[in-house]
Amino acid sequence: MKSPAIILIRPQIGENIGAAARVMLNFGMRDLRIVAPRDGWPNEKALDMAVGAAGLVEKAKIYNSLEDAVSDIRFLLAATARKRDMEKPVISSKQAGFLLREKLFKCGIIFGPERTGLSNDDMIMADNIVTIPVNVNYTSMNLAQSIAILCYEWFSCDASATKTKKEKPAPKKDMSALFKHLEQELDKSAFFRVPEKRRKTWENIRTTFQRTNMTAQEVRTLRGVIRSLTQKKSVK
Amino acid sequence: MKSPAIILIRPQIGENIGAAARVMLNFGMRDLRIVAPRDGWPNEKALDMAVGAAGLVEKAKIYNSLEDAVSDIRFLLAATARKRDMEKPVISSKQAGFLLREKLFKCGIIFGPERTGLSNDDMIMADNIVTIPVNVNYTSMNLAQSIAILCYEWFSCDASATKTKKEKPAPKKDMSALFKHLEQELDKSAFFRVPEKRRKTWENIRTTFQRTNMTAQEVRTLRGVIRSLTQKKSVK
């Protein structure tokens, strides 16, 4: 059982990064990844706040883009409190603990910036949305506290890993390449006719593909399909 | 179902008090009590850190002694990571969620100062010890994070309150009065002969009584017994 990666996207407050590292280590997690931290890197406040987990902060991997940060991840959760109009399955923190425990491949959870949370662009990459049940009258949770709850659920969950022979889902880098490929071809073919609708349309398409939970082989096949379709067109 | 009181004993860092208030409100808890905060009261850092839960910090009740802080509480948990030599039942955070949910009377959880955690003197008052399962290699949790986990377990637990007609346990103020009464009488009777052993002996006695989970009526009866025994002696 691999411990999931905790991926902080554009975190704003160094103390929260440190507090996240500390609670990750409390619950046996060590894979901290950070995309574009607001105050640069390294961050003294993160190190101070981490106390005994400062080593985890020092070893955090820093990325410029979410795409790079999740390239090796095969099952990705997006932590958010807000309801979204995105067609993704929403699971509870308790369910997330079980799901992450039973996977035999690399998983991760993304968390958005303190002020705004995850953007739709961030969430599109994820397989599921995970929501912590909270008081409807005060849903605004501190970033490190949300991380604490999800790490705790993963650690304290007693699901025994189900050793199935099922195919692994494709790593996210394959999905990214697939989407880039498809988008280029859609652009070439002038698919997006109304610029104002482009964003939403493309989001919907990606969401649909994401839900299929494709294996690496299926991604290769699909890219072959796209190549084939587009070559045929250029031959005409 | 009443929400349990969160009782911070000699907390040292204002930010932790504020973070505790915020996560309490996230999980629908409003009864914050503080015993002898190190930096006095009110505390600006606590208010800042609480964000939308600043009202909860403003309404926090401040006490000079733990005894006063828990006087109305009938079931008290002591949150600690360290193993103790005290003969008290130890339950997990998950069990605590269920237990607190099923009680129909006022409950509370005490948390010790950041640096040292709860003292034995603090813990003696509690009915059970609650421990959050953590990585044995790094057990030192941030105070507000421990509070987050226990509030979360209480809030997300789906135990339906068992509406039994069982007698309520006595409020802690009755237990305090009983122990004071008993201690005075033991002193008068020169019970504690070896001063170095006094502390541990008295601790053991209290622990034994604590485990009986007496009702208010039983406490009254027992105090009658003590009075009776001691009056008899003075008449001789």
Side-chain angles (χ1 to χ4, degrees):
Chain A
M1 167 197 72
K2 286 173 181 164
S3 91
I6 297 296
I7 303 141
L8 310 183
I9 303 179
R10 302 179 300 282
Q12 303 174 303
I13 301 169
E15 283 87 343
N16 283 339
I17 302 172
R22 182 172 175 188
V23 81
M24 282 175 66
L25 197 55
N26 285 145
F27 295 123
M29 291 197 181
R30 293 171 177 278
D31 188 352
L32 174 61
R33 307 178 183 193
I34 309 174
V35 178
R38 184 191 66 181
D39 296 339
W41 201 257
N43 184 314
E44 279 303 318
K45 285 173 181 165
L47 284 167
D48 287 351
M49 195 73 184
V51 196
L56 213 146
V57 173
E58 281 161 5
K59 282 181 198 147
K61 285 164 234 127
I62 310 298
Y63 301 88
N64 289 319
S65 76
L66 174 59
E67 199 179 310
D68 291 343
V70 299
S71 69
D72 62 323
I73 286 175
R74 291 166 193 269
F75 178 68
L76 188 65
L77 294 177
T80 178
R82 282 184 292 151
K83 290 241 184 298
R84 311 287 185 150
D85 56 350
M86 219 172 265
E87 287 301 317
K88 275 187 198 295
V90 178
I91 62 173
S92 73
S93 38
K94 224 164 269 288
Q95 292 172 304
F98 278 92
L99 266 177
L100 293 172
R101 268 283 162 135
E102 71 175 19
K103 304 292 186 199
L104 296 174
F105 40 79
K106 189 67 192 178
C107 299
I109 315 174
I110 53 174
F111 296 84
E114 287 87 339
R115 195 178 297 263
T116 54
L118 291 168
S119 70
N120 277 12
D121 277 350
D122 299 328
M123 296 217 301
I124 195 93
M125 204 81 124
D127 298 290
N128 283 188
I129 288 172
V130 54
T131 296
I132 297 169
V134 286
N135 170 8
V136 291
N137 296 317
Y138 188 54
T139 60
S140 159
M141 271 193 90
N142 167 267
L143 173 60
Q145 298 282 33
S146 317
I147 294 170
I149 301 297
L150 290 169
C151 294
Y152 166 75
E153 282 291 5
W154 175 79
F155 185 78
S156 65
C157 168
D158 50 10
S160 50
T162 51
K163 309 271 175 192
T164 57
K165 283 280 176 199
K166 271 203 296 186
E167 279 283 341
K168 289 179 183 177
K172 295 299 174 196
K173 68 169 187 286
D174 293 6
M175 297 303 288
S176 295
L178 166 66
F179 289 134
K180 213 157 275 171
H181 184 179
L182 180 59
E183 191 177 19
Q184 277 169 3
E185 294 301 340
L186 290 176
D187 273 334
K188 275 196 224 163
S189 66
F191 171 82
F192 300 108
R193 277 179 235 164
V194 187
E196 307 84 68
K197 288 189 182 168
R198 182 198 166 99
R199 189 187 177 82
K200 191 67 198 162
T201 307
W202 180 227
E203 202 174 282
N204 290 343
I205 292 169
R206 288 187 60 172
T207 299
T208 312
F209 278 109
Q210 202 73 62
R211 275 208 313 280
T212 58
N213 215 6
M214 279 181 272
T215 63
Q217 181 52 53
E218 287 167 335
V219 172
R220 279 193 294 274
T221 306
L222 196 65
R223 294 195 60 181
V225 168
I226 297 170
R227 259 193 309 274
S228 171
L229 292 177
T230 49
Q231 276 169 359
K232 194 179 163 198
K233 196 182 261 176
S234 64
V235 168
K236 262 185 185 172
Chain B
M1 169 196 72
K2 286 172 180 162
S3 91
I6 297 296
I7 303 141
L8 311 184
I9 303 179
R10 302 179 301 281
Q12 305 173 303
I13 300 169
E15 283 88 342
N16 283 338
I17 302 172
R22 182 170 176 190
V23 80
M24 282 175 66
L25 196 56
N26 286 145
F27 294 122
M29 290 198 182
R30 291 170 179 278
D31 188 351
L32 174 61
R33 307 177 184 193
I34 309 175
V35 178
R38 184 191 66 182
D39 296 340
W41 201 257
N43 183 315
E44 280 303 318
K45 286 173 182 165
L47 285 167
D48 287 351
M49 194 73 183
V51 194
L56 213 145
V57 173
E58 281 160 4
K59 281 181 200 146
K61 284 164 236 127
I62 310 298
Y63 301 88
N64 289 319
S65 75
L66 174 58
E67 198 180 309
D68 291 343
V70 299
S71 70
D72 62 322
I73 286 175
R74 291 167 193 269
F75 179 69
L76 187 65
L77 294 178
T80 178
R82 282 184 292 151
K83 290 241 185 297
R84 309 288 184 148
D85 56 350
M86 217 172 266
E87 286 301 317
K88 276 187 197 293
V90 177
I91 62 173
S92 73
S93 38
K94 225 166 268 292
Q95 290 171 306
F98 278 92
L99 265 178
L100 293 172
R101 269 284 163 137
E102 72 174 19
K103 304 291 185 200
L104 296 174
F105 39 79
K106 190 67 190 178
C107 300
I109 316 175
I110 53 174
F111 295 83
E114 287 87 340
R115 194 177 297 264
T116 55
L118 291 169
S119 71
N120 277 13
D121 277 350
D122 299 328
M123 296 216 301
I124 195 92
M125 204 83 125
D127 298 290
N128 284 188
I129 288 172
V130 54
T131 295
I132 298 170
V134 286
N135 171 7
V136 290
N137 297 317
Y138 188 54
T139 60
S140 159
M141 270 192 91
N142 168 267
L143 173 60
Q145 298 281 33
S146 317
I147 294 170
I149 301 297
L150 290 168
C151 293
Y152 166 76
E153 282 291 6
W154 174 80
F155 184 81
S156 66
C157 168
D158 50 11
S160 52
T162 51
K163 309 272 175 190
T164 57
K165 283 282 176 198
K166 273 203 295 185
E167 277 284 340
K168 289 179 184 176
K172 296 300 175 194
K173 68 169 185 287
D174 293 5
M175 296 302 289
S176 295
L178 166 65
F179 290 134
K180 212 158 276 171
H181 184 179
L182 180 59
E183 190 177 19
Q184 277 168 3
E185 294 301 339
L186 290 176
D187 273 334
K188 276 195 224 165
S189 66
F191 171 83
F192 301 108
R193 277 180 234 163
V194 186
E196 306 85 67
K197 288 188 182 167
R198 182 199 165 101
R199 190 191 178 80
K200 189 67 196 165
T201 308
W202 180 228
E203 202 174 283
N204 290 342
I205 293 169
R206 288 186 60 173
T207 299
T208 311
F209 277 109
Q210 203 72 63
R211 276 208 312 279
T212 58
N213 215 7
M214 278 182 273
T215 64
Q217 182 52 54
E218 288 167 334
V219 172
R220 279 193 295 275
T221 306
L222 197 64
R223 293 196 61 183
V225 168
I226 297 169
R227 260 193 308 273
S228 172
L229 292 177
T230 49
Q231 276 169 359
K232 193 179 163 196
K233 195 182 262 179
S234 63
V235 166
K236 264 186 184 173

